[in-house]
Every structure is written in structure tokens, then in C-alpha cells.
DNA sequence: CATTATACTGTATAAATATATAGTATAATT
DNA sequence: AATTATACTATATATTTATACAGTATAATG
């Protein structure tokens, strides 16, 4: 299946929502109304593009003859490793620490991400991050103050709020009164940011 | 719902089969072809009878505007609707409230589930459920004390811990000190359990 | 630079479709 | 005996709808 463009995704979503709402697929005019197009041909061309790329099927001649093609599951692309936060000293992403893999559609959390990290402890409790939750981690160094980051301090890995207080001073702040801030002086201590949290999954 | 006649049952089955086969409802002519009628009005009168008895809804003027009335929220495989919690007084799980759909592998949360509910408010904050989180809801009446349930009290829908304190007394307990317990006397107040939470997704 | 894909507006029309009206016939209620 | 619901045929028509054709514009590609 070829790549879908943002507009085509919008149209595809619109069709799905319309079917969920009404029980039957939209007409070209319905799509125009929902998405603000002024010509039925705008919908038509998008539909033909979606059909060509394999996302939908169109029954020729039939009114509302649109049906969504169920995409195949189990793409290796969509298999993300679940990494367990293990005892200090181990390199976090070593394969020994991969609990299992989880099938998850690409772009599930809006942003891209690289792996799931299983959370230990309640230091981010007030941010709604509980023990055993899975954090979707994006490997990046583009961190803003307030981001929830996966940080490694000399082999110990933690999840905390990130705050740069001075050029060389980073505060890693928990979201739980019972825990205290970690102050890292970059001149004394080695700090490595593994990435930041872009989403969360909890399995009850 | 009134009694259905054998012929009407045939027509209803025909509609269901047609939707399953093609993804969209039949026209009058389609029904005639399937069931061997020679006049579109044969289908029309059956449809009107089925509508009158509440088995189907017909969108006037729209082509293929037939939908089968079951209060269930239906969805394609792996496409789960996201239902928004709207203002009190509205029937919350009505299909009008479907924000969009989310592709999610089956069995993602171990247990099966039926739809996502977008959480409003912070009444379950200490359970790690924050505003705008998506709760994976399984429609079931098998509820144990301590389960997180989606409960409806006279048109108002909330997410709370479930606790049966006496045969006729249910406590709906928030996970936030700033909110107070809701005590429901089943003899006085109508309580409907929409389902229970089996998982959670947060998009940062 | 020419070509192709995307993303639209605007207009037109043949085909698809819902739906009304006019009948016929049978069985079940009132 | 009269009314009502069911179960159809047959025909007609206004509306809905898909879809083609003619354009404009922009970005990407070879």
C-alpha cells in the first residue's frame, strides 16, 4: 500500500466517521460538506486516489458504493520492542531487556516513536504515569523544559520532567511529593537523554 | 419493539447480509433482486413496516439510507471509535459523539474492548487517568469491586471506581481527594453500567 | 523543462434511487 | 361486515448521485 497524503488521510477518516455515525458511506457531496470542499469533483479525485492506492474500494455506478479496505495487520514495521527498566548498570536498550514486542500502528501517538519503556516506581504518579505503564519513547535530543524524558545518569535510568535551570545545571523533577528533585551538574556528572515520552499505554 | 413477520424478517436479514457483503446498505431494487420481488414498492412497504416497528431507521431522501437499529456501537475490525464525553443530558454513547476512529490491533490490551472514551476532568487523577486520556472500554456487566467503570446516572456519564456496599447501594468512588463519593441507591436512582476500563492511551 | 501527482472550483448530465400513486389479493381484527 | 395489516405488481417522477469535462494552481520528479 502506497503512502497516503495528509489530505487523503482526512478524507479516509471522514468516510470512516461518516459510516460510524450513519451506518452507510457518504456521497461525494457529503464528503464536501464535512471537509469544506465546494466541488464534488474534489471528493471524487481524492476517492480515486485512495482507490488507486488500495485504501478503499468503489463500486462503480452504485450510490455510496465506498467501502474501506481492511489493512493487513502484523507489519514488522509496526512491531515495537517493550524495554524493561532493569537494575542499574545495564545498558537500557540491549536486547536482553526486550520483554516482548507490541504491534502498534505507525503514528499511533501523533508523533513517531522508537520503543516502549515499562515504568517502574511511582515517581511520576501525579503526571498520570503509574507502575507498569508503557511509555512510548522517541529517541531525540530535542528536549524542551517540561518534557517528560528518559534520562540516564551513570547507568541508572529514570523517567522525569526535564528542566534546564542553568547552562550546566539540569533538574530532573519527579511528579510525586514523596520523591525529590535530582540536580545534575553536567561538569561533574554524565547525563544522557535517551529520549522523550510521546505517549502512554496502560493494560489493566 | 413489536413482533416481526416472517417476510419482514427475511427483508431484515437481507439488509444485514447485504451490508456484510458490500459494506453499504441495499437500495429497494437490490432487495427486490435478492428476494425475487418484481416491484420496488414491495421492498418499500416492508422497509416502512420495519421502520414503524423500530427494527431499522430510514434516512429520508438519502440513497441507501437504511441502518439497522441496534444500540451497539459497531466498528470495523481494528477500527475503534473514540467517543467524547459531552455535556450532561445528552445520551453520551450515541454515535453523534464519535470524534474519530483509531486503528488499534485486536487484543492490544490483553482483553477485548469496544470503544475508546475520551476522559474529561480529573476525578480519577490518582488512578493515573488524566484529562483527554483515552480509556479502552469493554461493554460488560461483569463488574467486580474496585473495577474502573463507565457509569451512567440519569444521562450523566462518569468514570469511577465501582464498589457495591450493599445489595442496593453502589458507591462510585473518584481517585482524587477533591472529589467526593457518589452513593447510588438503586431503588431510587437509575444506574447503568456502560462497561469497564481495560486499558488506557495517552497521546502527548 | 516537461511531466506527473496533488488539490482544488465550477458546470453538466446520465444513471441511480426513493418514493408516491393506483391497483389486486389474503388474512387477521374489531 | 368493516377495518386494518400484510404482501405483492406496475408505473411514474422528482431527487439524488456518480462521474465526466474544462479549468487553475502548486509541488515534486526525472
Amino acid at each position: 500500500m502506497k503512502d497516503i497524503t495528509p489530505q487523503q488521510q482526512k478524507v479516509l477518516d471522514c468516510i470512516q466517521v461518516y459510516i460510524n455515525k450513519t451506518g452507510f458511506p457518504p456521497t461525494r457531496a457529503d464528503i464536501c460538506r464535512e471537509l469544506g470542499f465546494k466541488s464534488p469533483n474534489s471528493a471524487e479525485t481524492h476517492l480515486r486516489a485512495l482507490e488507486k492506492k488500495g485504501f478503499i474500494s468503489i463500486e462503480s455506478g452504485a450510490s455510496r458504493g465506498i467501502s474501506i479496505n481492511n489493512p493487513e495487520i502484523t507489519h514488522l514495521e509496526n512491531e515495537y520492542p517493550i524495554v524493561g527498566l532493569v537494575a542499574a548498570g545495564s545498558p537500557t536498550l540491549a536486547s536482553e531487556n526486550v520483554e516482548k514486542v507490541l504491534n502498534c500502528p505507525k503514528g499511533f501517538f501523533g508523533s513517531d516513536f522508537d520503543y516502549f519503556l515499562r515504568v517502574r516506581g511511582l515517581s511520576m504518579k501525579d503526571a498520570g504515569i503509574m507502575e507498569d505503564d508503557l511509555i512510548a519513547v522517541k529517541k531525540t535530543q530535542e528536549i524542551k523544559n517540561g518534557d517528560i524524558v528518559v534520562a540516564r545518569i551513570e547507568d541508572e535510568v529514570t523517567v522525569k520532567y526535564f528542566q534546564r535551570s542553568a547552562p550546566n545545571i539540569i533538574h530532573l523533577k519527579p511528579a510525586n511529593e514523596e520523591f525529590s528533585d535530582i540536580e545534575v551538574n553536567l561538569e561533574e556528572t554524565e547525563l544522557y537523554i535517551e529520549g522523550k515520552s510521546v505517549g502512554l499505554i496502560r493494560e489493566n
Side-chain angles (χ1 to χ4, degrees), chain A residues 97-110:
Chain A
N97 299 332
V98 175
E99 285 179 18
K100 59 173 192 170
V101 290
L102 190 59
N103 183 276
C104 180
K106 202 169 177 162
F108 194 62
F109 296 102

Side-chain angles (χ1 to χ4, degrees), chain A residues 9 22 26 43 48 57 80 85 87 101 108 113 147 155-156 173 184-185:
Chain A
Q9 184 67 58
T22 67
R48 292 300 160 189
S57 297
Y80 294 90
L85 257 190
V101 290
F108 194 62
F113 69 104
D147 282 351
D155 285 352
E156 185 144 7
K173 299 164 85 85
V184 181
N185 185 330

Side-chain angles (χ1 to χ4, degrees), chain A residues 19-155:
Chain A
I19 293 172
N20 275 329
K21 268 205 248 185
T22 67
F24 43 88
T27 63
R28 275 60 168 171
D30 291 330
I31 295 170
C32 289
R33 202 180 322 104
E34 294 290 328
L35 298 180
F37 301 153
K38 288 176 185 168
S39 162
N41 193 42
S42 302
E44 177 72 15
T45 49
H46 281 129
L47 290 176
R48 292 300 160 189
L50 284 167
E51 188 193 31
K52 203 174 167 189
K53 290 179 177 178
F55 291 97
I56 62 172
S57 297
I58 301 174
E59 175 90 358
S60 182
S63 67
R64 302 175 188 273
I66 306 166
S67 50
I68 292 177
N69 289 342
N70 282 357
E72 302 294 317
I73 349 165
T74 67
H75 308 320
L76 280 179
E77 279 180 42
N78 297 343
E79 300 284 348
Y80 294 90
I82 297 178
V83 177
L85 257 190
V86 293
S90 311
T92 318
L93 277 180
S95 56
E96 304 92 75
N97 299 332
V98 175
E99 285 179 18
K100 59 173 192 170
V101 290
L102 190 59
N103 183 276
C104 180
K106 202 169 177 162
F108 194 62
F109 296 102
S111 168
D112 242 14
F113 69 104
D114 297 289
Y115 61 93
F116 288 112
L117 183 71
R118 191 172 292 281
V119 175
R120 296 284 165 227
L122 284 168
S123 71
M124 292 299 281
K125 174 179 165 294
D126 293 345
I129 301 177
M130 313 301 274
E131 177 113 36
D132 286 332
D133 283 358
L134 297 177
I135 285 180
V137 179
K138 178 177 187 162
K139 285 192 282 189
T140 177
Q141 302 303 312
E142 290 173 36
I143 307 291
K144 296 187 304 292
N145 279 353
D147 282 351
I148 294 172
V149 296
V150 178
R152 196 180 71 223
I153 311 170
E154 287 169 348
D155 285 352

